[in-house]
Amino acid sequence: MNEYDGSEDDADEGEGGEESAHELRISKIHNGTVIDHIAGGHAPDVLAILGIDSATDEVVSIGMNVPSDRLGHKDVVKIEGRELSQDEVEVISLVAPAASINIIREYDVIEKNRVERPSTVEGVLSCPNRNCITTEDEPVATRFEVLDDGVRCLYCGTIIRRRLTDHIDV
Amino acid sequence: MSHDHVISAKSLSRADIETVLDRAAEIDRTPPDRDRHADDLLALCFFEPSTRTHMSFETAIKRLGGDALDMGPVESSSATKGESLADTVRVVEGYADALVLRHPSEGAAQMASEFVDIPLINAGDGAGQHPTQTLLDLYTMREAAGSLSDLTVGIMGDLKYGRTVHSLAYALTKFDARQHFVSPESLSLPRSVRYDLHESGARLKEHTDLDAVIEELDVLYVTRIQRERFPDENEYRQIAGEYRIDAATLEDAREECVVMHPLPRVDEIAPDVDATQHAHYFEQAHNAVPVRMALLDLLLAEDDR
Ligand SMILES: [Zn+2]
């Protein structure tokens, strides 16, 4: 019952493990994080936030445009061997507001959380204003206020509306 | 004052602003005792030159009986050896009772304030905020127009890069002023500022031509359009020329219309305006001292308690 294969559909949360035949199957993970219910097509944004690209060596499985009752189509990202930090989860909420974060240990879901849109995000994003103090060699993390349709640097006031993932600081 | 640090006009409440202006008016009428802040030292950390801001803060603390500690020119400071701003202000905090910071990077004052417990005053951070300029602008308006309520204010010139303008607009919004922004399209308000103003319920209109609004204005605030904002000389000349005023321009203005400018001016206000009843820009410059005295008096008095 607790075994989690990461591709449960929306209606049967908690039951886990039942896949409809037409759904894309991706491998189970041993220890790590499953990010489910990412709006279809946004898995690459989530990967960018987590700094995962061709140069990283984590084992990552990605399901894209998997049919979903709640979202129509959803993406799923499974990362072996990595549990996400709160800062990372908060930034993910900006590109995937419906996502759920499942922490897996020994094939079991030990924690399952919906992302919540935070009022501010710290670190992870970098300020696009080259004259902003946070781009200099100072001992501070970036801080952004979360707006309805973007984020705003709490130091210089610059607003990022589109293409948030262009501003990921990794 | 509910804030120990003065970082932006945005973070000052209407009541904070009124407290400072009231104190400035008292100081203007009755200069405080020369030993009022006899033991207080004000550190002046200017990471870029600004002679007048520097001089007026120095004058203000000395008129209050205190003294100024000057970091000196940035070329001879530890910053050139690669010291972070966060370290510099933490060191200076040990020397002084309050700190004035001028820095070329936006957000510098906010960041620095997170590292010190003594009051920090932002004296300009890049294209960001310059709250004491705003306070003296408001003081000048209040003294000249009698009140800050129900004002119609025109702000003209470089609205894109002019930080003076942004701070002023945030503050005027707290007094529910009608604001008319007049600029060439290429120098209109930046998106983030327009967003904030709308969010805070500002009554604002944007124009490319002063003629559209001059008759309504209680205050006309003129700023300089800088040559370096334009790719070529001809374009600059042509555009800047359209945003200059002279005595003839003001014939259409209300008799009581107050003309202000943060100075220095180049030629955006013709010298023939100086002799008219509209000219208030030299008063505005002089008001830097009582307003900065008032602010320091309030911050340092709070500190002494
Ligand atoms: Zn910034």
Side-chain angles (χ1 to χ4, degrees), chain B residues 24-40:
Chain B
E26 276 169 31
I27 286 173
D28 244 349
R29 280 196 304 274
T30 321
D33 294 341
R34 293 300 296 245
D35 61 354
R36 184 169 168 80
H37 289 283
D39 295 325
D40 285 325

Side-chain angles (χ1 to χ4, degrees), chain B residues 286-304:
Chain B
H286 299 162
N287 286 337
V289 175
V291 169
R292 287 179 174 137
M293 283 173 79
L295 186 64
L296 290 170
D297 185 46
L298 292 163
L299 291 172
L300 292 167
E302 207 166 72
D303 205 42
D304 292 343

Side-chain angles (χ1 to χ4, degrees), chain A residues 100-160:
Chain A
S100 51
I101 309 284
N102 304 278
I103 306 292
I104 313 292
R105 286 184 198 154
E106 294 296 332
Y107 300 107
D108 283 344
V109 180
I110 60 129
E111 207 182 311
K112 184 182 185 82
N113 295 307
R114 284 276 170 83
V115 299
E116 266 174 53
R117 214 172 157 77
S119 55
T120 60
V121 289
E122 212 171 302
V124 190
L125 294 174
S126 63
C127 184
N129 171 10
R130 277 177 299 172
N131 203 34
C132 176
I133 192 73
T134 61
T135 65
E136 289 168 34
D137 202 7
E138 296 289 342
V140 285
T142 61
R143 272 193 295 144
F144 289 85
E145 177 189 0
V146 178
L147 310 172
D148 289 343
D149 57 348
V151 296
R152 179 218 311 266
C153 175
L154 282 170
Y155 289 94
C156 74
T158 299
I159 292 177
I160 312 175

Side-chain angles (χ1 to χ4, degrees), chain B residues 5 13 25 42 87-88 104 108 112 125 205 221 226 263 266 283 288 298:
Chain B
H5 302 303
S13 69
L42 180 66
D87 279 3
T88 303
D125 55 350
K205 284 189 181 150
Y221 195 105
Q226 289 174 316
L263 302 183
V266 180
E283 268 168 65
L298 292 163

Side-chain angles (χ1 to χ4, degrees), chain A:
Chain A
M1 239 0 218
N2 280 329
E3 189 176 314
Y4 184 77
D5 67 2
S7 52
E8 57 176 331
D9 211 347
D10 312 281
D12 62 357
E13 286 190 28
E15 299 216 275
E18 279 181 44
E19 282 181 6
S20 49
H22 59 273
E23 219 174 273
L24 181 73
R25 287 166 187 274
I26 47 182
S27 59
K28 294 171 186 175
I29 62 173
H30 185 187
N31 289 299
T33 308
V34 175
I35 307 157
D36 199 358
H37 302 111
I38 301 164
H42 285 276
D45 294 340
V46 171
L47 296 178
I49 288 165
L50 299 175
I52 294 168
D53 58 24
S54 56
T56 48
D57 52 13
E58 279 132 325
V59 175
V60 179
S61 318
I62 304 162
M64 287 183 74
N65 298 314
V66 180
S68 155
D69 289 348
R70 179 145 53 98
L71 299 173
H73 289 91
K74 67 176 184 177
D75 289 1
V76 183
V77 171
K78 302 182 183 185
I79 307 156
E80 183 69 53
R82 175 164 167 189
E83 294 183 7
L84 303 189
S85 72
Q86 189 56 32
D87 287 347
E88 289 168 328
V89 170
E90 288 184 346
V91 179
I92 286 173
S93 76
L94 303 180
V95 298
S100 51
I101 309 284
N102 304 278
I103 306 292
I104 313 292
R105 286 184 198 154
E106 294 296 332
Y107 300 107
D108 283 344
V109 180
I110 60 129
E111 207 182 311
K112 184 182 185 82
N113 295 307
R114 284 276 170 83
V115 299
E116 266 174 53
R117 214 172 157 77
S119 55
T120 60
V121 289
E122 212 171 302
V124 190
L125 294 174
S126 63
C127 184
N129 171 10
R130 277 177 299 172
N131 203 34
C132 176
I133 192 73
T134 61
T135 65
E136 289 168 34
D137 202 7
E138 296 289 342
V140 285
T142 61
R143 272 193 295 144
F144 289 85
E145 177 189 0
V146 178
L147 310 172
D148 289 343
D149 57 348
V151 296
R152 179 218 311 266
C153 175
L154 282 170
Y155 289 94
C156 74
T158 299
I159 292 177
I160 312 175
R161 276 238 169 70
R162 254 154 293 164
R163 303 181 63 82
L164 219 54
T165 49
D166 287 354
H167 305 287
I168 307 295
D169 190 15
V170 286

